[in-house]
Amino acid sequence: MKVLFLFVLLVFASSVPIYSQKFENLAATPPMGWNSWNGFGCNVDEKMIRGTADALVSSGMKDAGYQYVVIDDCWHGERDTQGFIRPDETRFPSGMKALGDYIHSKGLKLGIYSDVGTKTCGGLPGSRGHEYQDAMTYSSWGVDYLKYDWCNSGGLNPVGAYTTMRDALRAAGRPIVFSICEWGDTKPWEWAKDVGHLWRTTGDIARCWDCEENHGTWSRWGVLRIIDKEKPLRSFAGPGHWNDADMLQVGNGMTVSEDRSHFSMWAMLSAPLMAGNDITKMTGETRRILTNKEILAIDQDPLGIQAFPALSEGGLEVWAKPLSKEAWAICFLNRGNTPVDINFNWKENTIDDAFSNRKLDTLTATYKIHDLWAEKEIGTTNTPLSSRIPSRDVLVVKLEKVTH
């Protein structure tokens, strides 16, 4: 059987069209799911993944839109004598196909991890030289999402390396969302639109508000640092091709205010939402943040337009995101360490977005205001918006035009 599998591999690898392409009609909105890395690192096994899939369902996260269960680094065993990758038999005794079947039985989707190099970031077998074998294997396991890292790349050209795996996935025939994890080093937003469905724009996210964890040749970045790096990239994002601000750290040690701001801003940025906490043990507050359907709707708006900082004063930023049906999301982000009192006069602060050709014209139109965290209406744009925003917190509102 394995000889036949290898023969099939050789046939389809040699018959790949010269001009291949990624799978279309995937990731029309930013992908949502859970990834093992931020919460568990290399401590992954079959029991934990099954338990997480169960918890995604029982917690209401599946119903809120989270669908991918992504097993990050360290699931790998060794390659067999013909070069096919196998999972670690101690950690995944039932095998990946059985685990994928279980995840699919819950109405969820299976995600997996590999690397362009000969070794992953954790030192396990990467995909270099085995791209078509691995793509075929993932397809046979029922994989729906591939995160493809950049460790041990040994001077590879990233465009060529990621295009090779894109073509391999296409040849394998199973539609798989392709997540490019190149850390933004070579500006993938400029070249990856036709290669993958999302691309990392920065190094890894840290569990902090405003910090850099410097590791010499690379750094982890706090929430604010990543937000700042996203500001010039909005024109590159849209349905089927997203700027990836990295996986969420909600529930991993920051304050509730910081978690709420982090989650709100990822939604404003139209970022993929991959939870990274222990779903089986999360607090009620963490669950409420991750499953706020009105904030999620901002992220999943079908226009897919990334927000921009329309106004800034001191430590307060006002971010604006055009939405479908002529609506807007506005996020007042308090970056600082002290509360900020606002008295925002909508008539004096019209917002014009040349990129989307949209204008929030509060002089000639009236919008009703809905507070997305308080979950209540708070007036219209005919009167100033007064509020106190705690330190490192947000006020997020949706504006909908009043029709007469």
Side-chain angles (χ1 to χ4, degrees), residues 6-17 131-133 136 167-168 171-172:
L6 187 59
F7 174 74
V8 172
L9 167 67
L10 293 172
V11 169
F12 89 70
S14 64
S15 62
V16 178
E131 292 89 352
Y132 284 84
Q133 280 184 302
M136 245 189 115
D167 293 348

PDB file of all heavy atoms in Angstrom, residues 6-17 131-133 136 167-168 171-172:
ATOM      1  N   LEU A   6       3.426   6.020  -2.632  1.00  0.00           N
ATOM      2  CA  LEU A   6       4.600   6.714  -3.140  1.00  0.00           C
ATOM      3  C   LEU A   6       4.498   6.914  -4.647  1.00  0.00           C
ATOM      4  O   LEU A   6       4.857   7.971  -5.178  1.00  0.00           O
ATOM      5  CB  LEU A   6       5.861   5.934  -2.785  1.00  0.00           C
ATOM      6  CG  LEU A   6       7.207   6.605  -3.103  1.00  0.00           C
ATOM      7  CD1 LEU A   6       7.325   7.942  -2.384  1.00  0.00           C
ATOM      8  CD2 LEU A   6       8.354   5.684  -2.721  1.00  0.00           C
ATOM      9  N   PHE A   7       3.977   5.915  -5.355  1.00  0.00           N
ATOM     10  CA  PHE A   7       3.800   6.029  -6.801  1.00  0.00           C
ATOM     11  C   PHE A   7       2.823   7.151  -7.133  1.00  0.00           C
ATOM     12  O   PHE A   7       3.074   7.969  -8.021  1.00  0.00           O
ATOM     13  CB  PHE A   7       3.297   4.706  -7.373  1.00  0.00           C
ATOM     14  CG  PHE A   7       2.946   4.780  -8.844  1.00  0.00           C
ATOM     15  CD1 PHE A   7       3.944   4.832  -9.811  1.00  0.00           C
ATOM     16  CD2 PHE A   7       1.624   4.812  -9.239  1.00  0.00           C
ATOM     17  CE1 PHE A   7       3.614   4.912 -11.159  1.00  0.00           C
ATOM     18  CE2 PHE A   7       1.292   4.895 -10.583  1.00  0.00           C
ATOM     19  CZ  PHE A   7       2.295   4.947 -11.541  1.00  0.00           C
ATOM     20  N   VAL A   8       1.717   7.187  -6.393  1.00  0.00           N
ATOM     21  CA  VAL A   8       0.738   8.255  -6.604  1.00  0.00           C
ATOM     22  C   VAL A   8       1.375   9.617  -6.358  1.00  0.00           C
ATOM     23  O   VAL A   8       1.148  10.583  -7.088  1.00  0.00           O
ATOM     24  CB  VAL A   8      -0.491   8.052  -5.692  1.00  0.00           C
ATOM     25  CG1 VAL A   8      -1.411   9.267  -5.770  1.00  0.00           C
ATOM     26  CG2 VAL A   8      -1.237   6.797  -6.094  1.00  0.00           C
ATOM     27  N   LEU A   9       2.209   9.698  -5.314  1.00  0.00           N
ATOM     28  CA  LEU A   9       2.903  10.942  -5.007  1.00  0.00           C
ATOM     29  C   LEU A   9       3.752  11.401  -6.185  1.00  0.00           C
ATOM     30  O   LEU A   9       3.717  12.555  -6.597  1.00  0.00           O
ATOM     31  CB  LEU A   9       3.788  10.753  -3.771  1.00  0.00           C
ATOM     32  CG  LEU A   9       4.816  11.855  -3.483  1.00  0.00           C
ATOM     33  CD1 LEU A   9       4.112  13.133  -3.106  1.00  0.00           C
ATOM     34  CD2 LEU A   9       5.781  11.424  -2.402  1.00  0.00           C
ATOM     35  N   LEU A  10       4.519  10.487  -6.767  1.00  0.00           N
ATOM     36  CA  LEU A  10       5.386  10.831  -7.885  1.00  0.00           C
ATOM     37  C   LEU A  10       4.578  11.281  -9.091  1.00  0.00           C
ATOM     38  O   LEU A  10       4.951  12.212  -9.799  1.00  0.00           O
ATOM     39  CB  LEU A  10       6.261   9.631  -8.246  1.00  0.00           C
ATOM     40  CG  LEU A  10       7.303   9.234  -7.186  1.00  0.00           C
ATOM     41  CD1 LEU A  10       7.954   7.910  -7.578  1.00  0.00           C
ATOM     42  CD2 LEU A  10       8.363  10.318  -7.032  1.00  0.00           C
ATOM     43  N   VAL A  11       3.432  10.636  -9.310  1.00  0.00           N
ATOM     44  CA  VAL A  11       2.592  10.989 -10.449  1.00  0.00           C
ATOM     45  C   VAL A  11       2.047  12.391 -10.287  1.00  0.00           C
ATOM     46  O   VAL A  11       2.138  13.233 -11.186  1.00  0.00           O
ATOM     47  CB  VAL A  11       1.441   9.974 -10.615  1.00  0.00           C
ATOM     48  CG1 VAL A  11       0.424  10.498 -11.626  1.00  0.00           C
ATOM     49  CG2 VAL A  11       1.992   8.629 -11.057  1.00  0.00           C
ATOM     50  N   PHE A  12       1.460  12.687  -9.113  1.00  0.00           N
ATOM     51  CA  PHE A  12       0.831  14.002  -9.011  1.00  0.00           C
ATOM     52  C   PHE A  12       1.850  15.112  -8.844  1.00  0.00           C
ATOM     53  O   PHE A  12       1.641  16.242  -9.267  1.00  0.00           O
ATOM     54  CB  PHE A  12      -0.275  14.029  -7.946  1.00  0.00           C
ATOM     55  CG  PHE A  12       0.117  14.371  -6.549  1.00  0.00           C
ATOM     56  CD1 PHE A  12       0.508  15.657  -6.197  1.00  0.00           C
ATOM     57  CD2 PHE A  12       0.038  13.418  -5.551  1.00  0.00           C
ATOM     58  CE1 PHE A  12       0.835  15.979  -4.893  1.00  0.00           C
ATOM     59  CE2 PHE A  12       0.371  13.739  -4.255  1.00  0.00           C
ATOM     60  CZ  PHE A  12       0.770  15.006  -3.915  1.00  0.00           C
ATOM     61  N   ALA A  13       3.031  14.826  -8.268  1.00  0.00           N
ATOM     62  CA  ALA A  13       4.070  15.851  -8.165  1.00  0.00           C
ATOM     63  C   ALA A  13       4.582  16.238  -9.546  1.00  0.00           C
ATOM     64  O   ALA A  13       4.910  17.392  -9.804  1.00  0.00           O
ATOM     65  CB  ALA A  13       5.214  15.354  -7.297  1.00  0.00           C
ATOM     66  N   SER A  14       4.629  15.286 -10.437  1.00  0.00           N
ATOM     67  CA  SER A  14       5.132  15.571 -11.780  1.00  0.00           C
ATOM     68  C   SER A  14       4.073  16.184 -12.679  1.00  0.00           C
ATOM     69  O   SER A  14       4.387  16.668 -13.771  1.00  0.00           O
ATOM     70  CB  SER A  14       5.648  14.276 -12.417  1.00  0.00           C
ATOM     71  OG  SER A  14       4.591  13.346 -12.592  1.00  0.00           O
ATOM     72  N   SER A  15       2.815  16.179 -12.213  1.00  0.00           N
ATOM     73  CA  SER A  15       1.743  16.697 -13.064  1.00  0.00           C
ATOM     74  C   SER A  15       1.176  18.018 -12.566  1.00  0.00           C
ATOM     75  O   SER A  15       0.141  18.459 -13.035  1.00  0.00           O
ATOM     76  CB  SER A  15       0.598  15.666 -13.125  1.00  0.00           C
ATOM     77  OG  SER A  15       0.037  15.451 -11.839  1.00  0.00           O
ATOM     78  N   VAL A  16       1.866  18.659 -11.605  1.00  0.00           N
ATOM     79  CA  VAL A  16       1.393  19.938 -11.094  1.00  0.00           C
ATOM     80  C   VAL A  16       1.450  20.982 -12.198  1.00  0.00           C
ATOM     81  O   VAL A  16       2.460  21.086 -12.899  1.00  0.00           O
ATOM     82  CB  VAL A  16       2.257  20.401  -9.898  1.00  0.00           C
ATOM     83  CG1 VAL A  16       1.788  21.749  -9.400  1.00  0.00           C
ATOM     84  CG2 VAL A  16       2.181  19.386  -8.780  1.00  0.00           C
ATOM     85  N   PRO A  17       0.404  21.757 -12.391  1.00  0.00           N
ATOM     86  CA  PRO A  17       0.439  22.797 -13.417  1.00  0.00           C
ATOM     87  C   PRO A  17       1.573  23.785 -13.156  1.00  0.00           C
ATOM     88  O   PRO A  17       1.920  24.071 -12.016  1.00  0.00           O
ATOM     89  CB  PRO A  17      -0.929  23.482 -13.261  1.00  0.00           C
ATOM     90  CG  PRO A  17      -1.802  22.489 -12.576  1.00  0.00           C
ATOM     91  CD  PRO A  17      -0.896  21.689 -11.707  1.00  0.00           C
ATOM     92  N   GLU A 131       7.835  18.436   0.710  1.00  0.00           N
ATOM     93  CA  GLU A 131       6.602  19.227   0.649  1.00  0.00           C
ATOM     94  C   GLU A 131       5.430  18.449   0.053  1.00  0.00           C
ATOM     95  O   GLU A 131       4.316  18.464   0.591  1.00  0.00           O
ATOM     96  CB  GLU A 131       6.851  20.515  -0.154  1.00  0.00           C
ATOM     97  CG  GLU A 131       7.771  21.517   0.519  1.00  0.00           C
ATOM     98  CD  GLU A 131       9.243  21.298   0.196  1.00  0.00           C
ATOM     99  OE1 GLU A 131       9.574  20.257  -0.433  1.00  0.00           O
ATOM    100  OE2 GLU A 131      10.074  22.162   0.565  1.00  0.00           O
ATOM    101  N   TYR A 132       5.669  17.766  -1.048  1.00  0.00           N
ATOM    102  CA  TYR A 132       4.567  17.047  -1.708  1.00  0.00           C
ATOM    103  C   TYR A 132       4.147  15.810  -0.915  1.00  0.00           C
ATOM    104  O   TYR A 132       2.951  15.481  -0.839  1.00  0.00           O
ATOM    105  CB  TYR A 132       4.950  16.694  -3.150  1.00  0.00           C
ATOM    106  CG  TYR A 132       4.876  17.892  -4.070  1.00  0.00           C
ATOM    107  CD1 TYR A 132       5.938  18.784  -4.160  1.00  0.00           C
ATOM    108  CD2 TYR A 132       3.734  18.160  -4.805  1.00  0.00           C
ATOM    109  CE1 TYR A 132       5.870  19.905  -4.979  1.00  0.00           C
ATOM    110  CE2 TYR A 132       3.642  19.268  -5.632  1.00  0.00           C
ATOM    111  CZ  TYR A 132       4.718  20.143  -5.710  1.00  0.00           C
ATOM    112  OH  TYR A 132       4.635  21.260  -6.512  1.00  0.00           O
ATOM    113  N   GLN A 133       5.099  15.145  -0.302  1.00  0.00           N
ATOM    114  CA  GLN A 133       4.751  14.031   0.579  1.00  0.00           C
ATOM    115  C   GLN A 133       3.897  14.518   1.747  1.00  0.00           C
ATOM    116  O   GLN A 133       2.878  13.903   2.081  1.00  0.00           O
ATOM    117  CB  GLN A 133       6.026  13.375   1.120  1.00  0.00           C
ATOM    118  CG  GLN A 133       6.705  12.424   0.167  1.00  0.00           C
ATOM    119  CD  GLN A 133       7.908  11.754   0.831  1.00  0.00           C
ATOM    120  OE1 GLN A 133       8.821  12.427   1.280  1.00  0.00           O
ATOM    121  NE2 GLN A 133       7.891  10.433   0.890  1.00  0.00           N
ATOM    122  N   MET A 136       0.345  15.501   0.775  1.00  0.00           N
ATOM    123  CA  MET A 136      -0.470  14.310   0.555  1.00  0.00           C
ATOM    124  C   MET A 136      -0.879  13.664   1.869  1.00  0.00           C
ATOM    125  O   MET A 136      -2.023  13.225   2.048  1.00  0.00           O
ATOM    126  CB  MET A 136       0.314  13.293  -0.283  1.00  0.00           C
ATOM    127  CG  MET A 136      -0.290  13.028  -1.654  1.00  0.00           C
ATOM    128  SD  MET A 136       0.533  11.646  -2.471  1.00  0.00           S
ATOM    129  CE  MET A 136      -0.798  10.473  -2.557  1.00  0.00           C
ATOM    130  N   ASP A 167       1.819  25.001  -3.884  1.00  0.00           N
ATOM    131  CA  ASP A 167       1.591  24.130  -5.041  1.00  0.00           C
ATOM    132  C   ASP A 167       1.387  22.678  -4.606  1.00  0.00           C
ATOM    133  O   ASP A 167       0.587  21.947  -5.199  1.00  0.00           O
ATOM    134  CB  ASP A 167       2.760  24.226  -6.010  1.00  0.00           C
ATOM    135  CG  ASP A 167       2.864  25.600  -6.673  1.00  0.00           C
ATOM    136  OD1 ASP A 167       1.908  26.390  -6.554  1.00  0.00           O
ATOM    137  OD2 ASP A 167       3.906  25.878  -7.295  1.00  0.00           O
ATOM    138  N   ALA A 168       2.112  22.275  -3.569  1.00  0.00           N
ATOM    139  CA  ALA A 168       1.953  20.910  -3.067  1.00  0.00           C
ATOM    140  C   ALA A 168       0.561  20.699  -2.484  1.00  0.00           C
ATOM    141  O   ALA A 168      -0.074  19.657  -2.718  1.00  0.00           O
ATOM    142  CB  ALA A 168       3.025  20.615  -2.017  1.00  0.00           C
ATOM    143  N   ALA A 171      -1.860  20.430  -5.306  1.00  0.00           N
ATOM    144  CA  ALA A 171      -1.767  19.150  -5.999  1.00  0.00           C
ATOM    145  C   ALA A 171      -2.410  18.025  -5.194  1.00  0.00           C
ATOM    146  O   ALA A 171      -2.977  17.080  -5.766  1.00  0.00           O
ATOM    147  CB  ALA A 171      -0.303  18.816  -6.282  1.00  0.00           C
ATOM    148  N   ALA A 172      -2.351  18.129  -3.856  1.00  0.00           N
ATOM    149  CA  ALA A 172      -2.944  17.086  -3.014  1.00  0.00           C
ATOM    150  C   ALA A 172      -4.460  17.065  -3.110  1.00  0.00           C
ATOM    151  O   ALA A 172      -5.099  16.046  -2.834  1.00  0.00           O
ATOM    152  CB  ALA A 172      -2.507  17.273  -1.564  1.00  0.00           C
TER     153      ALA A 172
END
